[in-house]
Amino acid sequence: MSLNAESTAFRSALEVIRAVEPRVADAIGAELADQRESLKLIASENYASPATLLAMGNWFSDKYAEGTIGRRFYAGCQNVDTVEALAAEHAKELFGAAHAYVQPHSGIDANLVAFWAILADRVESPALRKAQVRQVNDLTEADWFALRRELGDQRMLGMSLDAGGHLTHGFRPNISGKMFDQRSYGTDPATGLIDYDRVAEAAREFRPLILVAGYSAYPRKVNFRIMREIADSVGATFMVDMAHFAGLVAGKVFTGDFDPVPHAHIVTTTTHKSLRGPRGGMVLCGPELADQVDRGCPMVLGGPLPHVMAAKAVALAEARRPDFAGYAQRIVDNAQALADGLLRRGATLVTGGTDNHLVLIDVSGYGLTGRQAEQALLDSGIVTNRNAVPQDPNGAWYTSGIRIGTPALTTRGLGTAEMDATAELIHTVLDRTTPGTGPDGAGSKAKYVLDPAVAEQVGKQAADLLTPFPLYPAVDLG
Ligand SMILES: *Cc1c(COP(=O)(O)O)cnc(C)c1O
């Protein structure tokens, strides 16, 4: 019997790798096996298509292509131009954007590109103007001093970390927190929702240069029309980081006020989360910021990764197919089924539910920390990650939340019935886990007790849930 194209491709690739370093080939094979066996509820992960994966493993990796399409600092970039232009074209069509910059290597890098573009566009600094017109050699010591001071004084208003904002929106562990004078808006303690009046108030008081919307752990839609009005009212540039929910925008689940592209001055994203592409980033903007955005490399990015841009072009072409909208809608249907299943069994959810791809369980309702819950679930074959909840009493390390998301399992084909079964498994584990004690006999935030028989039973049920939905069904590594 002849093998299908995917199986032949991956088998051959592994054979070639095995001849050089068999342990790498083994690890790649083991990774597929592990992913096939795990009930993956990590909200930021997905499974890219074989075509997307294969587009990354080739000669494009060998090419330097600093610059932009048609204006490269290296010779011989005509084929890179082709794939970069294709990726940008698909991105513009898919999201209805005037300009797309597909070089960023990751979400963090896309945000750095956007921050620099906004600073360069907005900050009134004679020294910066000189630097921009490539008269860098003309800058005096005093110019440089002024430049650093003027850039360092700029303000950013973004969503607080514990409400679901991202590190790159001005928080200390990321350079954005050192570049900007940052303040954040949280959520209403009673509802868990963004209170737009409070955001407007914070903007009026703080007068940020940049207002950022976007999140990695907020289970609701954001009204980008209102956010833009707030930005306009204080003269801020409105940036949306749609890293988590780009797939829902692409699939037209988020439209109108909830589609960031028509409302934001600039939109950044990853390509590997709900969008289901290769690991990478992207920036979308109007014509006003396009030139600054295109300076991303070498301003803040290393040389572009042409092999990943090729994969972005493939994945974006897939996202433009009609069936992607169905996928996006199923992601949300599944998240809501999971949320309903958990609520019915007595779990506490931040905001009481979801209207996107993720659910945030407040596991303090089970008497656990996020760390304990995460480990107990992992012992039971369920892969999630701990996450802070608003005003988290356990801080960012132990946390009180478990974040779960449906993009990956939806790609596998699981539906609402399986989500209800998944809710039952999660509830069972959390309900049967109790906090452990530390060496001094006091309560521990890390240790926990879970009957191994329960973990084993749930693990078996989780595996059974996956059996009818094989991952990469066309790929047989033999
Ligand atoms: C995941 C994420 C990022 C970072 O993406 P990387 O590719 O890991 O750098 C940035 N912003 C938000 C909102 C994210 O969720």
Side-chain angles (χ1 to χ4, degrees), residues 106-108 111 166 168-169 215-216 241 243-244 270 272-273:
S106 69
I108 284 191
N111 286 350
H166 194 260
T168 55
H169 302 172
Y215 53 78
S216 45
D241 178 351
H244 254 263
T270 60
H272 50 274
K273 298 182 182 175

Side-chain angles (χ1 to χ4, degrees), residues 34-46:
D34 287 354
Q35 297 220 14
R36 279 179 163 159
E37 278 170 19
S38 76
L39 194 71
K40 181 154 93 173
L41 286 162
I42 295 187
S44 53
E45 291 188 7
N46 210 328

